[in-house]
Amino acid sequence: MNFSEVFKLSSLLCKFSPDGKYLASCVQYRLVVRDANTLQIRQLYTCLDQIQHIEWSADSLFILCALYKRGLVQVWSLEQPEWHCKIDEGSAGLVASCWSPDGRHILNTTEFHLRITVWSLCTKSVSYIKYPKACQQGITFTRDGRYLALAERRDCKDYVSILVCSDWQLLRHFDTDTQDLAGIEWAPNGCVLAAWDSCLEYKILLYSLDGRLLSTFCAYEWSLGIKSVAWSPSSQFLAVGSYDGKVRILNHVTWKMITEFGHPATINNPKIVVYKEAEKSPPLVLGRLAFPPPRAAAGPLSSTESKYEVASVPVSLQTLKPAPDRANPRIGIGALAFSPDSCFLATRSDSVPTAVWIWDIQKLRLLAALEQLSAVRCFQWDPRQARLAICTGGSKVYLWSPAGCVSVQVPGEGDFQVLSLCWHLSGDSLALLSKDHFCLCFLETEQGVGTAFGQRGDHT
Amino acid sequence: MGDWMTVTDPGLSSESKYISQYTSETKMSPSSLYSQQVLCSSIPLSKNVHSFFSAFCTEENIEQSISYLDQELTTFGFPSLYEESKGKETKRELNIVAVLNCMNELLVLQRKNLLAQENVETQNLKLGSDMDHLQNCYAKLKEQLETSRREMIGLQERDRQLQCKNRNLHQLLKNEKDEVQKLQNIIASRATQYNHDMKRKEREYNKLKERLHQLVMNKKDKKIAMEVLNYVGRADGKRGSWRTGKTEASFFLRNEDEMYKILLNDYEYRQKQILMENAELKKVLQQMKKEMISLLSPQKQKPRERADDSTGTVISDTEEDAGELSRESMWDLSCETVREQLTNSIRKQWRILKSHVEKLDNQVSKVHVEGFNDEDVISRQDHEQETEKLELEIQQCKEMIKTQQQLLQQQLATACDDDTTSLLRDCYLLEEKERLKEEWSLFKEQKKNFEKERRSFTEAAIRLGLERKAFEEERASWLKQQFLNMTTFDHQNSENVKLLSAFSGSSDRDNPTVHSRPRQKKPHGAPSGSPVCMSKLTKSLPASPSTSDFCQMRSCVSEHSSISVLNTTPEESKPNQVGRECTNQKWSVASRPDSQEGGYSGRSSTYADSHVEKDDLP
């Protein structure tokens, strides 16, 4: 495992291009595009103000930089550095901006969700979509980029519009039986749309592409409902995390619940491997020497080292007592992610913020639990294999795979607090983002990884 | 007790005194009057009873006292003290014997009374103690009653308190329920109010939004614009097309088409997946079925041997089914039919397998009984082997017993504590005894089985002997017949017929004569030309004993003795007449030494015997 040198970064804006060739990062008002492998600067663009959002177009030819404060979007071309485009939303303001899947249209949401403006880069045409709903996840495109589903609110009722992306024509428009629609999400195969109600009510609705209601699922009533939703990449399962601390898996044939994953604070089953991060005072030289990357030898190691220990059951995890008098209580399943092969599901329960739970979808049971020393900030699956990267806001990055678990210290002067991370398309490298910096972590090829895990395995 | 005695004694005596006084008074005899006076005077005179008695009779009043006593005694039912007076004038004489008898009787009475008194006293005592005991019991029970009553009162009190509490709690619960109801109502009303407010707010918000929209959008906002260096080409390379009314409709249709195409594709994909899954499942089922069949078929022979087994037939049925199924290309059949067939056959086989497994379990549990049952069937050699084995076992057991005895004796010799050793020995002996008993019973059972076997064998032997005898008789008669044939021809004809009929009548134990006739026709129908019955044939034959006649006779006899075995002879004789003649001649030649106790026929008979034996055995 090798680490690149540390580069400057602001507002955690760092993204790999969809084709994996480039890495875009922002430093204040500058946009830097680097080669993803060599990290040499390919292009450098200067925006009018501090960049608040960037997004690659699907064909990796353009980058969109949103300057919400100014109500501006600036688009840059990678092929033609001199080409530029500036979209001004004027007094309507701007709160969100995104590419359409074809990479030639930009969807800007104005302030107060008054409308969505669709700007075309090919023609002068501008389209408006009225009544978009201000919600958690109101816009979703199908994987193939053909359709856009949009949550709308008219006359105190929720609607969903399905638009064809090629010409922005309305294909279907239907009302959803929800009190307050909170989000919509396409299944990866683009044929089923999941829509869920706000947290006040547990309700998830499944619609076909042609607007038929396929099924409704409600696990319970009179309590806080859905907090997070995730489709499996195979479109076979829909995982619904809710405020009762459970994940419910629905199947794609009957849309009924297959199983229910509770997140208990104590784990008694001896079959479940519980990895517990433990702090360790540094020396223990012999075993270590081979492992740290060459770069680390130059810089002094951070004083605290941590490693995973396999805890013996029963294990009780640290739980947070939710404050009942505050909004957005820290309970429920806050994050869900399926592995790319749909075999594993990683979850985080907000009442047990230090733990990541990994479930085996084939056997429908808990496979492993990772207890970190601090609260888990973010986790993401390797896009190629069942490998999970986790960061906790500390100076370490953690990797889990079915073979085991490693904790890797990010080398560098001072503390590199990993607040977020994102995988490269190939799964060979990983961008680690801190508040002001980012660096790349190159993972060895298959064999190298194997040995690395093997070595770590000795420690765990 | 002493007190009691002393108290009662005088009372009793005084009572008797009073009685005597009373009786004397009623009689009003002069002596009694006197004696009364005496009595009255005597009592204060002397307290001593003895002195009082001595005062009863004095020199002067002997007569009076005697008569008084006589009177008294007669009243008590004693015989008179006086002799029977012969005349009225004569003075009555005192009968000494009677007096003595009376005295004796009185003494006896006295003794009896004393005894009775003693008994009564003891009984009294007993009763007194019983009474004490009962009184004690009574007191105790009373106490108990009291305590239980108190307890009851306490419990009642507690019950009352609890009931009170319960009532309070019920009240509380009711209150709480009311509260909950109230709160729920409040919540509901709040919720409706909230929803209402929300809707109102949202409407207001929408209005504001609309207004804002108008304000922001309708005003020619110069700022809302896009600056582009030059427009880029579309990703798909096409040029943007202008939308017109016509094209819009066509666009819409095309979009619909595409959407349905996508949906269709998805459904097709899913159907394909499901089909694949189904096929795989079917394959698994089929394989399972095959394996089941292969697993079950080896057992097929066995169950068939057992007459009562139904599984054999069922298996064959299912096999036929399976054959049909495999012959049909079942994957192409529609789901339902195949499913039904498959599931049915699988279910059937599963049932068979289950029953088979259950049977196996049963067999395991009944292995003892089964073993014995099997022994009835198995051959003698096995029996012998088994007995040998058992004998060996017995020998071993005996040896073991011997060694154990030796060991025990050694232990006895070495043991110092007699008690423990005897105990140990006892227990060992007991154990041994138990084991021996078990073995003994086992042996007994085996012996019984052997005996049964032997009996069956002897029966078979007897039967065999009988059959042999019958056969011998037959042969003898036949020889005789032949002999007679050779000597007296006319006589022979009638004899022959008679003998045959008689023979057929007597020996239809196994084979009916009806059977024998068509059979004998077969070989001889050809030479004679017409199927005629035996007697006719013999009659139509010339007087001289022809060879063919002999042959007939022989075949007939052989058939009668044992059809199944000697069947071959007529068939052998069938192909050519010459051969038959030859054999016949041989036969006739051989018969002569046989009549004198010959070798050839004897051999043949043994041959037949062996066959018969083999036939009868199973």
Side-chain angles (χ1 to χ4, degrees):
Chain A
M1 200 180 277
N2 290 314
F3 287 88
S4 72
E5 59 181 301
V6 173
F7 303 103
K8 278 202 167 178
L9 183 78
S10 61
S11 11
L12 298 175
L13 290 173
C14 175
K15 273 176 186 168
F16 285 104
S17 66
D19 62 2
K21 280 185 188 161
Y22 307 106
L23 176 70
S25 61
C26 293
V27 187
Q28 304 297 330
Y29 52 88
R30 277 196 300 272
L31 174 70
V32 187
V33 177
R34 293 168 200 271
D35 190 289
N37 291 317
T38 62
L39 294 177
Q40 282 180 329
I41 297 175
R42 297 296 297 270
Q43 296 294 343
L44 201 136
Y45 306 100
T46 311
C47 291
L48 292 168
D49 202 346
Q50 170 128 20
I51 302 164
Q52 285 174 285
H53 175 70
I54 59 167
E55 191 174 328
W56 283 93
S57 69
D59 53 8
S60 306
L61 293 176
F62 300 97
I63 310 171
L64 164 164
C65 300
L67 303 85
Y68 294 139
K69 270 191 258 174
R70 283 183 157 237
L72 270 179
V73 170
Q74 283 192 291
V75 186
W76 305 103
S77 165
L78 216 62
E79 285 178 332
Q80 300 165 272
E82 70 280 3
W83 186 90
H84 64 85
C85 170
K86 190 179 89 181
I87 301 165
D88 195 338
E89 283 292 339
S91 50
L94 183 67
V95 290
S97 180
C98 67
W99 283 102
S100 83
D102 64 356
R104 295 296 179 271
H105 293 85
I106 291 165
L107 281 77
N108 285 342
T109 310
T110 59
E111 251 179 313
F112 307 110
H113 285 78
L114 283 178
R115 66 179 184 195
I116 288 173
T117 326
V118 183
W119 300 91
S120 169
L121 297 184
C122 311
T123 61
K124 258 189 167 175
S125 69
V126 183
S127 318
Y128 299 103
I129 302 168
K130 267 187 96 179
Y131 313 113
K133 179 160 183 172
C135 64
Q136 196 186 349
Q137 194 174 351
I139 297 178
T140 174
F141 293 99
T142 55
R143 280 285 157 89
D144 58 3
R146 274 174 202 260
Y147 301 104
L148 159 70
L150 186 74
E152 295 178 1
R153 183 88 177 173
R154 298 181 193 185
D155 302 329
C156 308
K157 279 197 88 177
D158 291 313
Y159 293 89
V160 168
S161 290
I162 294 171
L163 297 125
V164 183
C165 292
S166 57
D167 51 11
W168 305 108
Q169 280 218 347
L170 186 69
L171 185 73
R172 281 287 184 275
H173 179 76
F174 50 88
D175 61 329
T176 60
D177 184 22
T178 47
Q179 285 290 316
D180 181 15
L181 188 68
I184 49 174
E185 169 111 30
W186 283 109
N189 64 5
C191 289
V192 182
L193 180 74
W196 59 97
D197 213 332
S198 72
C199 64
L200 293 179
E201 208 172 334
Y202 194 115
K203 191 173 208 177
I204 189 152
L205 301 131
L206 293 145
Y207 291 96
S208 168
L209 178 60
D210 53 357
R212 280 179 301 124
L213 177 66
L214 294 173
S215 180
T216 310
F217 178 72
C218 173
Y220 53 85
E221 284 174 292
W222 312 120
S223 187
L224 287 179
I226 295 167
K227 193 164 190 179
S228 51
V229 171
W231 282 97
S232 78
S234 61
S235 306
Q236 265 185 319
F237 306 108
L238 179 65
V240 184
S242 54
Y243 279 92
D244 64 344
K246 281 178 181 166
V247 173
R248 291 173 176 82
I249 309 273
L250 310 185
N251 73 76
H252 76 308
V253 182
T254 60
W255 300 112
K256 297 243 169 64
M257 190 175 73
I258 298 174
T259 187
E260 188 175 88
F261 294 147
H263 291 68
T266 52
I267 294 167
N268 295 315
N269 192 340
K271 275 184 180 174
I272 297 162
V273 188
V274 181
Y275 295 102
K276 205 163 188 160
E277 189 190 359
E279 227 160 320
K280 199 172 67 173
S281 48
L284 225 179
V285 185
L286 270 174
R288 186 73 43 76
L289 263 178
F291 188 69
R295 248 192 61 82
L301 272 171
S302 179
S303 58
T304 53
E305 266 278 301
S306 80
K307 60 162 188 157
Y308 277 113
E309 280 169 353
V310 176
S312 56
V313 288
V315 181
S316 57
L317 306 167
Q318 270 191 320
T319 49
L320 276 183
K321 267 272 172 80
D325 52 347
R326 287 219 195 135
N328 300 320
R330 291 175 67 88
I331 51 167
I333 307 303
L336 283 174
F338 275 99
S339 68
D341 53 3
S342 301
C343 287
F344 302 100
L345 173 72
T347 60
R348 189 193 68 207
S349 172
D350 289 348
S351 56
V352 192
T354 56
V356 175
W357 314 67
I358 291 153
W359 307 84
D360 188 335
I361 295 298
Q362 283 163 322
K363 290 173 187 162
L364 293 175
R365 67 175 187 87
L366 184 60
L367 183 71
L370 279 70
E371 193 182 17
Q372 310 296 135
L373 286 170
S374 43
V376 174
R377 281 289 185 112
C378 164
F379 55 77
Q380 199 177 9
W381 286 98
D382 181 335
R384 288 294 169 87
Q385 50 175 306
R387 185 159 61 166
L388 186 73
I390 303 161
C391 62
T392 61
S395 60
K396 291 171 204 83
V397 64
Y398 309 92
L399 289 170
W400 175 90
S401 82
C405 235
V406 287
S407 108
V408 184
Q409 173 78 34
V410 179
E413 309 88 31
D415 228 10
F416 188 95
Q417 294 183 326
V418 186
L419 297 178
S420 180
L421 43 79
C422 63
W423 281 95
H424 184 257
L425 179 75
S426 64
D428 291 339
S429 58
L430 184 67
L432 309 174
L433 319 179
S434 79
K435 202 177 155 230
D436 304 313
H437 295 94
F438 81 94
C439 73
L440 244 62
C441 168
F442 298 98
L443 297 146
E444 278 96 319
T445 50
E446 284 287 304
Q447 285 177 322
V449 172
T451 54
F453 274 117
Q455 282 172 352
R456 271 287 143 175
D458 296 340
H459 294 289
T460 51
Chain B
M1 235 150 80
D3 284 342
W4 193 266
M5 283 272 268
T6 45
V7 171
T8 49
D9 251 342
L12 272 171
S13 59
S14 66
E15 235 174 356
S16 64
K17 255 186 265 165
Y18 279 123
I19 288 162
S20 65
Q21 271 172 11
Y22 175 73
T23 46
S24 59
E25 261 175 349
T26 49
K27 292 288 165 185
M28 287 301 238
S29 66
S31 63
S32 74
L33 277 170
Y34 176 74
S35 69
Q36 222 169 9
Q37 278 170 357
V38 172
L39 243 166
C40 293
S41 61
S42 67
I43 289 165
L45 274 174
S46 62
K47 275 160 195 169
N48 199 340
V49 182
H50 187 72
S51 63
F52 158 70
F53 273 112
S54 63
F56 171 66
C57 185
T58 50
E59 296 278 324
E60 302 100 67
N61 61 356
I62 287 175
E63 282 297 315
Q64 276 172 339
S65 45
I66 286 170
S67 67
Y68 170 72
L69 278 177
D70 178 52
Q71 250 177 17
E72 288 287 293
L73 285 169
T74 45
T75 55
F76 279 116
F78 289 100
S80 174
L81 296 181
Y82 298 105
E83 280 177 44
E84 291 284 316
S85 57
K86 274 133 193 178
K88 278 189 182 164
E89 282 110 63
T90 52
K91 204 186 156 200
R92 293 157 83 193
E93 288 279 314
L94 184 74
N95 190 351
I96 305 259
V97 176
V99 167
L100 286 176
N101 276 339
C102 273
M103 268 176 68
N104 184 43
E105 227 160 302
L106 279 171
L107 278 173
V108 166
L109 257 176
Q110 167 75 3
R111 212 166 291 146
K112 233 186 250 173
N113 280 341
L114 275 175
L115 214 80
Q117 191 190 344
E118 217 166 284
N119 280 345
V120 165
E121 271 167 22
T122 52
Q123 207 164 358
N124 200 6
L125 271 175
K126 238 187 257 169
L127 285 171
S129 63
D130 275 1
M131 179 99 154
D132 272 358
H133 175 71
L134 285 174
Q135 264 169 348
N136 279 343
C137 277
Y138 172 71
K140 244 184 250 168
L141 284 172
K142 215 172 182 180
E143 245 170 67
Q144 257 179 17
L145 186 72
E146 198 57 36
T147 52
S148 51
R149 201 172 283 162
R150 239 174 281 142
E151 236 170 79
M152 205 174 75
I153 287 164
L155 285 172
Q156 271 174 346
E157 178 59 23
R158 240 176 77 192
D159 187 42
R160 201 185 55 76
Q161 280 173 359
L162 285 174
Q163 268 176 352
C164 232
K165 222 173 171 179
N166 194 16
R167 223 171 293 138
N168 287 343
L169 284 173
H170 266 297
Q171 193 58 44
L172 275 174
L173 183 70
K174 212 174 165 189
N175 289 347
E176 290 294 318
K177 267 184 185 166
D178 286 349
E179 190 96 352
V180 166
Q181 193 62 44
K182 226 193 289 174
L183 285 173
Q184 268 177 346
N185 286 340
I186 289 169
I187 287 170
S189 68
R190 288 260 168 92
T192 50
Q193 203 184 337
Y194 165 80
N195 279 340
H196 194 75
D197 283 359
M198 274 296 284
K199 267 194 183 154
R200 215 186 57 220
K201 289 260 167 67
E202 203 175 323
R203 278 207 192 99
E204 274 172 35
Y205 169 68
N206 280 346
K207 260 182 218 162
L208 279 174
K209 248 167 104 174
E210 204 68 21
R211 179 102 188 97
L212 184 70
H213 195 254
Q214 277 172 4
L215 282 174
V216 172
M217 308 301 165
N218 285 3
K219 200 171 63 180
K220 289 288 172 197
D221 195 347
K222 286 275 161 56
K223 280 179 87 180
I224 299 180
M226 186 170 76
E227 292 172 23
V228 183
L229 191 72
N230 59 311
Y231 290 107
V232 292
R234 284 168 59 128
D236 50 9
K238 281 185 213 158
R239 300 186 67 189
S241 50
W242 289 103
R243 268 189 235 161
T244 54
K246 260 189 198 171
T247 50
E248 205 144 312
S250 69
F251 270 137
F252 185 73
L253 280 177
R254 210 182 58 202
N255 286 337
E256 286 257 298
D257 281 356
E258 253 170 53
M259 180 193 80
Y260 283 121
K261 224 178 266 172
I262 286 170
L263 275 178
L264 253 172
N265 278 342
D266 180 55
Y267 282 123
E268 265 171 19
Y269 173 70
R270 269 161 76 171
Q271 198 206 358
K272 221 175 272 174
Q273 268 187 330
I274 285 166
L275 270 178
M276 259 158 64
E277 214 175 298
N278 263 343
E280 253 163 61
L281 287 175
K282 270 186 205 166
K283 229 182 268 173
V284 168
L285 256 181
Q286 190 72 7
Q287 196 189 339
M288 211 167 84
K289 210 181 81 175
K290 265 183 205 153
E291 269 169 29
M292 265 188 179
I293 288 168
S294 65
L295 192 79
L296 285 171
S297 53
Q299 266 115 37
K300 210 178 68 184
Q301 277 95 23
K302 263 194 205 167
R304 271 199 180 156
E305 280 173 16
R306 290 181 208 149
D308 58 331
D309 247 354
S310 58
T311 53
T313 54
V314 179
I315 285 168
S316 62
D317 282 358
T318 53
E319 274 198 337
E320 278 160 30
D321 278 5
E324 274 172 39
L325 275 180
S326 55
R327 254 181 277 122
E328 294 163 29
S329 53
M330 55 177 301
W331 305 121
D332 300 335
L333 277 174
S334 80
C335 210
E336 282 154 48
T337 50
V338 172
R339 188 179 52 205
E340 217 163 280
Q341 273 176 314
L342 243 181
T343 47
N344 275 348
S345 66
I346 288 270
R347 229 173 259 157
K348 223 186 273 174
Q349 264 146 21
W350 173 245
R351 238 172 279 143
I352 292 160
L353 193 70
K354 214 169 123 188
S355 65
H356 180 69
V357 168
E358 275 167 10
K359 211 180 289 157
L360 277 180
D361 278 357
N362 285 343
Q363 274 178 358
V364 166
S365 64
K366 285 180 187 168
V367 82
H368 248 61
V369 187
E370 278 284 319
F372 285 127
N373 285 347
D374 280 347
E375 272 179 5
D376 285 346
V377 187
I378 59 171
S379 70
R380 193 174 195 148
Q381 274 191 343
D382 287 336
H383 269 293
E384 273 162 11
Q385 278 177 2
E386 196 70 23
T387 44
E388 267 177 25
K389 226 190 277 171
L390 285 170
E391 267 168 12
L392 215 96
E393 246 177 60
I394 293 168
Q395 200 64 34
Q396 280 174 352
C397 284
K398 271 181 185 166
E399 272 174 19
M400 207 143 87
I401 290 163
K402 214 177 272 175
T403 52
Q404 278 193 341
Q405 268 178 342
Q406 276 177 357
L407 279 170
L408 271 170
Q409 271 166 358
Q410 277 178 8
Q411 209 178 20
L412 252 173
T414 52
C416 21
D417 196 348
D418 280 3
D419 284 8
T420 50
T421 45
S422 66
L423 248 171
L424 274 172
R425 189 180 51 197
D426 273 352
C427 70
Y428 277 132
L429 280 174
L430 270 174
E431 235 178 276
E432 209 74 81
K433 231 186 245 171
E434 281 299 299
R435 239 201 342 252
L436 281 172
K437 222 181 257 174
E438 268 178 25
E439 274 176 356
W440 181 246
S441 62
L442 212 99
F443 290 141
K444 248 186 183 169
E445 228 170 325
Q446 278 177 349
K447 197 178 151 195
K448 222 188 279 169
N449 282 314
F450 287 142
E451 220 127 51
K452 221 197 283 176
E453 202 71 282
R454 209 178 58 189
R455 223 176 297 138
S456 67
F457 275 127
T458 47
E459 266 170 26
I462 286 163
R463 221 167 29 204
L464 233 169
L466 276 172
E467 263 167 12
R468 189 190 293 183
K469 214 167 122 191
F471 178 71
E472 220 117 49
E473 265 174 20
E474 246 169 67
R475 208 182 49 195
S477 68
W478 184 76
L479 281 171
K480 201 170 125 196
Q481 183 83 36
Q482 202 188 20
F483 186 68
L484 282 172
N485 256 346
M486 285 174 115
T487 49
T488 53
F489 307 113
D490 273 343
H491 182 69
Q492 179 258 337
N493 273 345
S494 61
E495 267 284 315
N496 192 13
V497 174
K498 212 164 119 190
L499 186 117
L500 253 176
S501 62
F503 180 61
S504 61
S506 68
S507 69
D508 61 353
R509 189 179 48 126
D510 292 329
N511 38 358
T513 47
V514 193
H515 253 265
S516 69
R517 275 183 188 167
R519 274 195 192 189
Q520 75 189 36
K521 271 177 220 159
K522 262 187 197 170
H524 308 291
S528 63
S530 62
V532 265
C533 78
M534 189 70 180
S535 56
K536 266 188 186 172
L537 213 153
T538 43
K539 265 180 190 167
S540 67
L541 275 169
S544 60
S546 70
T547 51
S548 66
D549 193 7
F550 285 153
C551 180
Q552 270 172 15
M553 281 304 299
R554 193 189 140 232
S555 69
C556 180
V557 166
S558 66
E559 260 177 36
H560 274 285
S561 62
S562 66
I563 290 174
S564 55
V565 182
L566 300 178
N567 236 352
T568 49
T569 42
E571 270 164 18
E572 271 174 30
S573 56
K574 199 179 176 181
N576 55 345
Q577 205 117 349
V578 187
R580 210 193 306 150
E581 276 173 66
C582 269
T583 49
N584 226 334
Q585 268 169 347
K586 259 187 200 166
W587 185 255
S588 59
V589 170
S591 65
R592 257 169 227 161
D594 188 47
S595 61
Q596 303 153 11
E597 206 174 331
Y600 178 79
S601 67
R603 246 198 292 159
S604 75
S605 73
T606 52
Y607 167 77
D609 273 358
S610 70
H611 265 265
V612 168
E613 197 174 44
K614 267 183 190 170
D615 247 13
D616 276 16
L617 249 176

